[in-house]
Amino acid sequence: MLLTNYALECLETGRLITRMDARVKGDLNVACKALQADFLAGTQHGRVKPDWLSSLYNLGSLLQYQCGEHARAEHLCRHILSICTTLAEDPEWAAAMVQPWINCARLAAAEGQTRRSLEILQGVSRFAEGKDDLRIGDFRLHVSISANLFASVRDLPIVCRNVYLTDSARAYFLGADYQGLLAFLESLQAEPFYNGNQGNAYAFLEIKARALLALERYEEAMGTLTDLAARIKSARQRVYPAIYALIADACRHCNAMGDAEQLLSFANKLVHQVVSRSGSASITSCHHLYLIVLSQLRAGDQEGAFSNARELLKTARALHDEVLQMKALMIILAIGIATGPTEQVGLYAGELERAASASQYRIEKALAYVCLAELAECGEPALRKLLPKSEASFSRGLALLRTMGAVHLQAFTKRLLQTYPAALRQRSADNVECSSETLEQTYALLANYVPPQCAVQRFAQGA
């Protein structure tokens, strides 16, 4: 099995099945052009609305993050916070500060700054509950205005408290602090918001089970997951096929191999039933299928994983999801080296190379390049044409990984440095790829913008 498969597992750190991301990760250049068009159309007439402007900056920051530009992503968050700070006498502008501040916490977690991330998230939650002032850098939102502030954005308090659970958990996972995570969950145990609410209870139990699995407390994890599965079955409202794959993983750790095989088979049937019932695969069902594929690989079911990965690739192509396409191709190639026809492997390798070259998703792009380098070293006849490119592929992939502060890939990068020759590692330093011109333009557009209200406010303050 390729080393890249280990990286694909690392990428799932902190992902919650019960809070699955439902966004298609399409062409970042297309997304940037759409953002630019919206931004220019909305700002050409002068004054802008706080929630609208903040939402565009949040999207712009996300796009920069997805292409691996963490520093730029944070700078855009800081820039909109600066704008909001200037205009914070208006409750709507004050409310518009909360989401970019949450995004700063997410970026801190991704870079391994666990404590900073947790402090931001706790501060946001306490402010939403009316317990404390919210400090955003040197600026302070007084708790006395929280009721008035949240009246302008009614669902914001609920968002803040939901984020406190899920994003704090992600920060703990990325920081590999599982004991700290269990202590955090214990502090929320008595709060009805996190245990009385069905959706939050599902996430709470999944987080607890994952922490217990990471600590190798498998029997306790099984008990928690059994409780979660029973609640989901009783509610009959939403289906989470990948939960059963997670339970299957726990069963294998408990040496209940028969139960593990049955559960994984059930998860596989369930995800295909969901797709056939709706007539087409949603991005959410694709993510469930992908997690089931990873579980099948862990269980040694290469045939099932190969079949599902090909189905995943077909659906990802139809949905134009670049990230899932590259992930599916990497899994197909890893399995295909051992089990598939070499001609097919060569075709899939060519598709992965084209996808990586065109994509702006820096993490997946980096892993794709490393995967291609690994494939070229396998010596398969169909892959010999990749050999002249293998060194370039490896050095490009490693260079991309080095430009990012992605804490969940640090162990993978370390293993790469131990596995490959020093000469390749040195050449990678000169192989850094820049973001596309469209991404650069989008960043510059947002980073240099100042709304007319700021100029008026600063003039009044100067006067």
Side-chain angles (χ1 to χ4, degrees):
M1 196 63 69
L2 300 180
L3 185 56
T4 317
N5 278 47
Y6 169 70
L8 292 177
E9 292 279 2
C10 293
L11 286 182
E12 298 310 306
T13 304
R15 183 200 290 272
L16 296 179
I17 296 168
T18 51
R19 291 287 176 87
M20 197 75 79
D21 186 358
R23 288 172 293 190
V24 172
K25 292 185 177 178
D27 189 327
L28 284 179
N29 287 320
V30 172
C32 281
K33 287 177 181 177
L35 186 153
Q36 288 182 32
D38 289 346
F39 184 85
L40 292 172
T43 56
Q44 66 179 344
H45 299 300
R47 288 179 173 262
V48 294
K49 293 183 177 181
D51 58 343
W52 174 84
L53 187 66
S54 181
S55 68
L56 284 190
Y57 271 86
N58 292 331
L59 175 58
S61 176
L62 174 63
L63 296 176
Q64 293 295 325
Y65 171 77
Q66 288 176 331
C67 78
E69 296 285 357
H70 290 195
R72 288 187 172 186
E74 182 164 3
H75 184 264
L76 291 182
C77 291
R78 296 284 181 182
H79 187 65
I80 185 61
L81 285 170
S82 177
I83 291 171
C84 292
T85 298
T86 304
L87 303 169
E89 290 183 4
D90 182 334
E92 290 190 18
W93 281 104
M97 300 176 73
V98 176
Q99 187 60 57
W101 190 230
I102 289 171
N103 289 341
C104 285
R106 290 167 173 164
L107 288 164
E111 294 173 0
Q113 300 174 34
T114 308
R115 177 173 291 185
R116 177 168 175 260
S117 177
L118 294 172
E119 287 175 352
I120 293 173
L121 294 167
Q122 183 181 45
V124 168
S125 178
R126 288 184 63 80
F127 181 72
E129 295 174 42
K131 294 179 179 178
D132 204 353
D133 296 345
L134 177 60
R135 293 170 177 81
I136 301 177
D138 294 330
F139 186 81
R140 176 182 292 190
L141 282 174
H142 291 278
V143 69
S144 59
I145 70 164
S146 61
N148 186 35
L149 184 152
F150 289 129
S152 63
V153 189
R154 293 183 181 178
D155 63 341
L156 193 55
I158 295 175
V159 170
C160 292
R161 298 191 71 187
N162 284 335
V163 160
Y164 183 47
L165 171 63
T166 56
D167 283 279
S168 293
R170 185 170 185 267
Y172 279 113
F173 278 126
L174 290 172
D177 183 5
Y178 308 115
Q179 292 286 8
L181 177 52
L182 288 178
F184 167 72
L185 293 175
E186 183 67 26
S187 72
L188 302 180
Q189 185 74 47
E191 295 197 29
F193 181 83
Y194 297 109
N195 283 289
N197 177 289
Q198 186 183 82
N200 288 337
Y202 291 172
F204 188 96
L205 289 171
E206 182 188 352
I207 292 165
K208 183 177 180 181
R210 287 182 178 278
L212 291 168
L213 285 170
L215 291 168
E216 300 183 359
R217 292 161 59 176
Y218 300 127
E219 294 292 344
E220 292 175 78
M222 273 296 300
T224 303
L225 287 169
T226 301
D227 182 13
L228 173 57
R231 294 192 190 199
I232 291 172
K233 184 178 180 181
S234 175
R236 296 175 178 263
Q237 290 181 347
R238 298 190 65 181
V239 180
Y240 302 95
I243 281 291
Y244 300 98
L246 181 62
I247 301 174
D249 290 340
C251 284
R252 281 194 297 277
H253 285 300
C254 295
N255 293 317
M257 299 305 178
D259 291 341
E261 186 176 347
Q262 290 180 3
L263 281 162
L264 190 52
S265 177
F266 176 71
N268 190 45
K269 289 178 182 177
L270 188 58
V271 75
H272 288 289
Q273 284 176 5
V274 171
V275 173
S276 62
R277 195 180 306 139
S278 61
S280 62
S282 67
I283 192 64
T284 303
S285 62
C286 281
H287 283 300
H288 279 278
L289 181 58
Y290 173 66
L291 293 175
I292 289 168
V293 168
L294 291 180
S295 186
Q296 288 174 317
L297 285 175
R298 290 191 291 271
D301 181 10
Q302 291 195 336
E303 184 178 349
F306 189 74
S307 175
N308 276 336
R310 290 179 67 182
E311 182 64 28
L312 177 65
L313 176 61
K314 178 182 175 182
T315 308
R317 286 170 180 158
L319 293 171
H320 304 291
D321 190 301
E322 290 185 10
V323 168
L324 275 177
Q325 285 181 63
M326 286 189 282
K327 286 180 175 179
L329 284 164
M330 283 185 267
I331 290 172
I332 289 169
L333 288 166
I335 301 171
I337 286 295
T339 62
T342 52
E343 286 187 10
Q344 273 191 321
V345 171
L347 290 172
Y348 286 128
E351 183 176 352
L352 180 59
E353 185 177 31
R354 291 190 297 275
S357 297
S359 181
Q360 292 293 318
Y361 290 93
R362 193 169 291 186
I363 287 180
E364 290 75 20
K365 185 186 188 88
L367 299 187
Y369 283 141
V370 174
C371 179
L372 290 168
E374 289 190 282
L375 289 168
E377 299 299 321
C378 290
E380 288 287 336
L383 300 174
R384 284 175 185 163
K385 62 182 180 180
L386 294 175
L387 281 170
K389 302 178 182 179
S390 65
E391 291 190 3
S393 293
F394 173 80
S395 55
R396 288 172 81 186
L398 183 56
L400 286 166
L401 288 169
R402 280 174 157 174
T403 63
M404 296 177 288
V407 66
H408 51 319
L409 286 177
Q410 285 178 356
F412 169 68
T413 306
K414 184 177 180 180
R415 287 177 67 171
L416 280 183
L417 294 172
Q418 294 169 344
T419 304
Y420 284 86
L424 282 180
R425 302 201 297 267
Q426 182 60 40
R427 281 198 290 275
S428 73
D430 303 320
N431 244 321
V432 179
E433 295 189 10
C434 298
S435 302
S436 71
E437 184 178 351
T438 305
L439 279 156
E440 297 276 351
Q441 290 172 346
T442 305
Y443 171 73
L445 183 68
L446 295 173
N448 295 312
Y449 175 74
V450 178
Q453 292 101 308
C454 279
V456 172
Q457 181 74 8
R458 287 168 181 168
F459 176 80
Q461 289 173 346

